[in-house]
């Protein structure tokens, strides 16, 4: 355990000669082993020592520049040398020494042969230092790295190239087992790494702000100084902003006035406050209908169209303002209403506008696009012409990325053919043009599936009625795609871990369900048309960004909606999920709304 946290007077012109303990007035000479070079860019890597695989949870920009690897390519990767592929010129004895130091929670220092992403050899002057909590348990390992060019010929050099020695060894290794990860005796760990020598400002804005809310909460238990830094509301906001994005933070601002960022981040991470709540609203959506589409723009729910009696396509627009004291459905008198339709999609762009695409109308299937700006004094549906559009379709899925780009996927043609294509329309450009996303492989064609956005430009596709040979079957498959991929854009099937063998968790195959993207990037799946005796009211959650995604069942207090097919879902304020509509077998209910509260309500 670190008994004192020294303040360092930094002289950026020279390397400081000593650290001073202000209370005792004792000068401590800087030891040659301490990595501290103010004028040399230093790479930092932080790993989670509470996980047996030591996964990397943070790398700084210097690491990315020095190695050529982006942060998203190494975060979550295993830092245990046993699991890494190594070049033949790297001495396995050296790797073994690093592993031993990691397991015993002791400092390692030395030089190591590394390689950039492009294969260029580097000399890595490496120091691994454990960070201890108040119980003397190693919670994190800090890697401080100075990279330099390795002037060697890989074709002729003999093995090994570099060999390091462990800075400290235990006299009694049995007293400090890998499982306990206690610090070495006699305070050897007090020769601390350069991380805690940094100023509060540097630690807060250059280190802590780049971690996830969960990791920041863990680091807060390391020592008193870290605890105070992680309690700062501004730091917590920056942490959430870097993890979730500016748009999400803007949406969550109102909630933080009631909960503060620390509590909100904890509740959205642990879902400890999740609950169902039934809402009664005034007004009516008449005539009765099904197969409508609804979307949230700010705190306003907007519903358009649907299928009326005798398959009549509807063309009316309704708004429910949740900010009002008594929310009431109101029909909006708009000019130039789009042709009536059902089986269409309605998506939000830029928090105040809605974009309508496709569906089935009086004359068959449609592929037109309309935009409605709710902030206009006289809201009007405006048709958008975008060059050659996708094939007319219904029962497709859509979403928006980066605030203004409409993404359309799959659906069904007028001839009943399932589609497996994907198109993007950037509505922020002066003359929007439809662009098909070319991929070497795509998931089977389908309808009734969901698209969920996470990580700004990444999309999770789940479920639907998918083509399987000559059959069409309900699916529980999940796929991801990153539309901002620097190289080739690819679909990837999510290989999900199913949890403990004695209690596997796999969502039953379904279509016409809803998927909710949470601020922290996880996705909740709810309802739909499910075969067999499975309950449509059961909630499943998945984090597609994990290295090994695992489905979990969400056990939510209070009574869930009874009818969860043919419904629609709107996310309001980032923490409120409104479920409207649902078939009882005879009627379609729109005046009974269910709210899934992701965080505490302080009304």
């Amino acid at each position: 355990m670190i008994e004192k946290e020294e303040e360092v007077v930094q002289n950026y012109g020279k390397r400081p000669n000593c650290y001073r303990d202000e209370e005792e007035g004792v000068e401590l000479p800087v030891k040659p082993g301490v990595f501290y070079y103010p004028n040399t860019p230093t790479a930092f890597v932080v790993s989670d020592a509470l996980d047996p695989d030591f996964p990397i949870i943070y790398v700084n920009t210097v690491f990315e520049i020095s190695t050529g690897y982006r942060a998203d390519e190494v975060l979550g990767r295993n830092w245990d040398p046993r699991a890494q592929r190594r070049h033949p010129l790297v001495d396995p004895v050296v790797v073994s020494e690093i592993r031993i130091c990691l397991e015993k929670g002791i400092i390692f220092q030395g030089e190591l042969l590394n390689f950039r992403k492009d294969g260029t050899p580097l000399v890595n002057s490496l120091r691994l230092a454990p960070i201890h909590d108040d119980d003397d348990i190693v919670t994190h390992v800090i890697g401080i790295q100075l990279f330099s060019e390795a002037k060697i010929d890989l074709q002729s050099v003999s093995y090994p190239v570099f060999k390091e020695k462990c800075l400290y060894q235990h006299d009694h290794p049995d007293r400090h087992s890998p499982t306990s990860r206690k610090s070495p005796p006699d305070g050897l760990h007090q020769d601390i790494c350069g991380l805690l020598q940094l100023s509060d400002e540097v630690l807060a804005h250059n280190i802590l702000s780049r971690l996830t809310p969960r990791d920041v909460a863990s680091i807060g238990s390391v020592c008193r100084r870290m605890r105070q830094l992680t309690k700062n509301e501004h730091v917590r906001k920056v942490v959430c902003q870097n993890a979730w994005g500016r748009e999400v933070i803007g949406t969550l601002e109102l909630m933080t006035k009631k909960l503060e960022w620390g509590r909100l981040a904890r509740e959205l991470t642990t879902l400890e406050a999740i609950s169902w709540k039934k809402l009664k609203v005034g007004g009516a959506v008449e005539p009765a209908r099904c197969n409508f589409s609804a979307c949230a723009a700010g705190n306003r729910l907007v519903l358009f169209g649907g299928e009326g009696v005798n398959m009549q396509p509807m063309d009316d627009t309704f708004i429910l303002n949740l900010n009002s004291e008594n929310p009431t459905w109101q029909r909006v008198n708009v000019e130039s209403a789009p042709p009536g339709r059902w089986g269409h999609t309605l998506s939000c762009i830029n928090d105040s506008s809605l974009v309508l695409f496709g569906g089935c109308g009086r004359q068959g299937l449609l592929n037109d696009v309309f935009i409605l700006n709710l902030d206009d004094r006289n809201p009007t549906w405006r048709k958008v012409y975008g060059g050659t559009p996708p094939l007319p379709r219904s029962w497709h899925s859509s979403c928006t990325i980066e605030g203004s780009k409409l993404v359309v996927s799959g659906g069904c043609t007028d001839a009943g053919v399932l589609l497996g294509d994907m198109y993007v329309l950037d509505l922020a450009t002066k003359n929007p043009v439809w662009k098909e996303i070319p991929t070497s492989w795509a998931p089977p064609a389908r309808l009734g599936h969901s698209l969920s956005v996470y990580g700004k430009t990444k999309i999770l596709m789940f479920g639907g009625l998918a083509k399987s040979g000559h059959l069409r079957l309900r699916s529980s498959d999940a796929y991801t795609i990153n539309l901002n991929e620097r190289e080739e854009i690819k679909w990837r099937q999510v290989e999900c871990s199913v949890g403990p063998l004695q209690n596997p968790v796999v969502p039953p195959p379904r279509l016409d369900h809803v998927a909710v993207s949470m601020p922290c990037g996880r996705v909740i799946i709810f309802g739909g048309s499910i075969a067999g005796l499975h309950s449509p009211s059961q909630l499943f959650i998945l984090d597609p960004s994990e290295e090994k995604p695992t489905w979990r069942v969400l056990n939510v207090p209070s009574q869930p909606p009874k009818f969860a097919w043919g419904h629609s879902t709107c996310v309001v304020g980032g923490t409120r999920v409104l479920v409207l509509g649902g078939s009882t077998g005879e009627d379609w209910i729109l005046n009974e709304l269910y709210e899934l509260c992701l965080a505490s309500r302080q009304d």
Side-chain angles (χ1 to χ4, degrees):
M1 169 180 177
I2 298 175
E3 298 293 338
K4 293 190 178 291
E5 295 157 0
E6 295 88 358
E7 296 224 356
V8 180
V9 180
Q10 297 184 358
N11 182 335
Y12 289 95
K14 298 180 180 179
R15 179 176 174 181
N17 294 322
C18 64
Y19 307 136
R20 178 178 295 274
D21 188 313
E22 294 184 352
E23 291 185 2
E24 300 180 6
V26 177
E27 291 191 353
L28 303 176
V30 175
K31 299 180 180 180
V34 177
F35 278 27
Y36 184 68
Y37 301 102
N39 297 323
T40 304
T42 305
F44 282 96
V45 178
V46 182
S47 73
D48 183 358
L50 297 179
D51 188 309
D53 290 335
F54 294 90
I56 296 173
I57 61 174
Y58 167 76
V59 296
N60 68 351
T61 304
V62 176
F63 176 91
E64 295 180 283
I65 296 173
S66 300
T67 66
Y69 288 97
R70 303 191 311 271
D72 60 351
E73 294 178 297
V74 296
L75 294 183
R77 298 289 295 273
N78 192 324
W79 204 7
D80 187 335
R82 293 172 298 181
Q84 304 301 316
R85 296 179 62 185
R86 298 187 299 273
H87 192 280
L89 295 179
V90 178
D91 191 345
V93 175
V94 171
V95 176
S96 177
E97 289 177 354
I98 296 177
R99 176 177 59 81
I100 292 172
C101 289
L102 288 174
E103 290 182 346
K104 292 185 176 181
I106 60 178
I107 293 175
F108 171 88
Q109 183 171 313
E111 289 188 335
L112 178 70
L113 177 65
N114 278 171
F115 294 86
R116 284 180 51 86
K117 186 176 180 179
D118 61 9
T120 304
L122 297 171
V123 178
N124 181 2
S125 297
L126 173 66
R127 179 183 177 88
L128 299 177
I131 297 296
H132 304 74
D133 63 11
D134 291 339
D135 296 324
D136 218 13
I137 302 297
V138 177
T139 60
H140 297 81
V141 174
I142 309 295
I144 307 173
Q145 302 169 310
L146 297 175
F147 292 101
S148 58
E149 182 183 355
K151 298 179 180 180
I152 58 174
D153 183 356
L154 296 179
Q155 304 301 321
S156 60
V157 70
S158 60
Y159 154 93
V161 178
F162 294 105
K163 183 174 183 178
E164 318 81 339
K165 291 193 179 296
C166 196
L167 191 62
Y168 298 121
Q169 296 291 345
H170 286 306
D171 294 330
H172 304 286
D174 293 338
R175 293 175 54 190
H176 305 282
S177 66
T179 55
S180 66
R181 291 196 184 136
K182 294 282 186 178
S183 64
D186 303 323
L188 291 180
H189 66 270
Q190 292 186 19
D191 180 17
I192 62 175
C193 70
L195 187 70
L196 292 179
Q197 301 168 23
L198 301 175
S199 67
D200 285 355
E201 183 179 3
V202 172
L203 280 172
H205 294 284
N206 292 3
I207 305 290
L208 296 178
S209 65
R210 299 170 183 263
L211 305 181
T212 66
R214 184 189 294 272
D215 291 330
V216 168
S218 175
I219 288 177
S221 65
V222 169
C223 59
R224 288 184 297 275
R225 182 185 175 198
M226 286 297 186
R227 186 178 299 117
Q228 291 302 315
L229 281 176
T230 57
K231 281 185 177 181
N232 183 281
E233 272 295 288
H234 179 70
V235 171
R236 287 173 166 175
K237 178 180 178 180
V238 173
V239 167
C240 293
Q241 180 173 292
N242 288 341
W244 302 340
R246 290 182 179 273
E247 293 181 5
V248 172
I249 294 305
T251 303
L252 293 174
E253 286 280 7
L254 182 61
M255 284 297 298
T256 59
K257 297 178 182 178
K258 305 173 182 178
L259 295 182
E260 297 184 342
W261 285 107
R263 181 175 173 184
L264 181 62
R266 187 187 75 236
E267 291 188 357
L268 290 178
T269 301
T270 64
L271 292 177
E272 60 193 53
I274 192 170
S275 63
W276 282 110
K277 178 181 178 182
K278 188 174 182 179
L279 300 179
K280 285 281 189 178
V281 298
V285 177
E286 294 178 344
R289 68 198 63 205
C290 63
N291 299 327
F292 55 87
S293 187
C295 183
N299 285 321
R300 295 167 291 187
L301 304 189
V302 182
L303 182 150
F304 176 82
E307 179 183 351
V309 179
N310 297 323
M311 301 181 68
Q312 178 76 15
M314 315 294 288
D315 66 352
D316 43 8
T317 305
F318 291 84
I319 292 182
L320 180 69
N321 189 349
L322 295 173
N323 276 341
S324 63
E325 186 175 346
N326 297 302
T328 302
W329 282 110
Q330 295 182 336
R331 182 168 179 167
V332 182
N333 294 320
V334 297
E335 300 179 10
S336 306
R341 66 194 66 201
W342 45 271
H344 53 287
T345 56
L346 194 64
S347 306
C348 179
I349 55 173
N350 299 325
D351 296 326
S352 61
S353 297
L354 302 168
V355 56
L356 170 70
F357 175 77
C360 183
R362 293 179 183 275
Q363 306 301 321
L365 298 188
L366 302 165
N367 60 353
D368 47 3
V369 179
F370 289 85
I371 291 180
L372 176 69
N373 188 343
L374 297 177
D375 290 341
D376 288 345
R377 178 174 298 180
N378 298 308
T380 302
W381 284 102
R382 176 174 59 88
K383 189 169 184 178
V384 176
Y385 297 91
T388 304
L391 289 174
R393 65 193 66 201
S394 62
W395 307 117
H396 53 281
S397 187
S398 71
C399 64
T400 54
I401 62 172
E402 299 182 299
S404 63
K405 296 179 181 179
L406 174 66
V407 180
V408 174
S409 162
C412 182
T413 68
D414 214 357
V417 177
L418 297 183
L419 298 171
D421 52 4
M422 176 174 276
Y423 283 81
V424 174
L425 182 66
D426 189 351
L427 296 165
T429 59
K430 185 177 180 180
N431 298 304
V433 176
W434 281 106
K435 294 182 180 180
E436 185 173 7
I437 303 299
T439 58
S440 57
W441 174 85
R446 63 193 60 217
L447 60 80
H449 54 294
S450 61
L451 297 181
S452 305
V453 180
Y454 69 100
K456 297 182 181 179
T457 60
K458 298 176 182 178
I459 298 174
L460 173 74
M461 174 193 287
F462 174 78
L465 185 69
K467 185 177 181 181
S468 179
H470 298 293
L471 303 176
R472 297 181 178 185
L473 303 175
R474 291 179 177 87
S475 171
S476 61
D477 294 335
Y479 305 88
T480 61
I481 190 171
N482 184 359
L483 297 185
N484 198 30
E485 196 81 53
R486 294 184 181 180
E487 300 175 355
E488 180 185 3
I489 297 178
K490 296 180 180 180
W491 280 104
R492 296 175 175 85
Q493 184 164 4
V494 179
E495 300 294 339
C496 295
S497 171
V498 296
L501 295 177
Q502 63 271 23
N503 187 26
V505 175
V506 180
R510 65 192 66 205
L511 73 151
D512 293 339
H513 55 282
V514 293
V516 178
S517 296
M518 295 179 57
C520 51
R522 289 176 291 177
V523 177
I524 296 176
I525 301 295
F526 172 70
S529 173
I530 306 173
L533 302 176
H534 300 287
S535 169
S537 297
Q538 197 170 42
L539 276 74
F540 296 86
I541 187 170
L542 179 75
D543 187 347
S545 63
E546 291 180 344
E547 185 175 358
K548 297 180 180 179
T550 303
W551 285 106
R552 290 195 299 117
V553 174
L554 276 180
N555 296 313
V556 182
S558 305
Q559 184 66 35
K562 294 181 180 179
F563 310 106
W565 175 75
H567 56 313
S568 187
T569 303
C570 305
V571 180
V572 177
T575 63
R576 305 175 64 188
V577 181
L578 276 299
V579 178
L580 54 152
S583 174
T584 67
E586 297 179 357
D587 300 316
W588 294 77
I589 305 172
L590 284 171
N591 286 78
E592 287 188 1
L593 275 65
Y594 282 82
E595 177 180 345
L596 182 64
C597 305
L598 302 179
S600 301
R601 295 290 303 276
Q602 304 291 318
D603 297 334

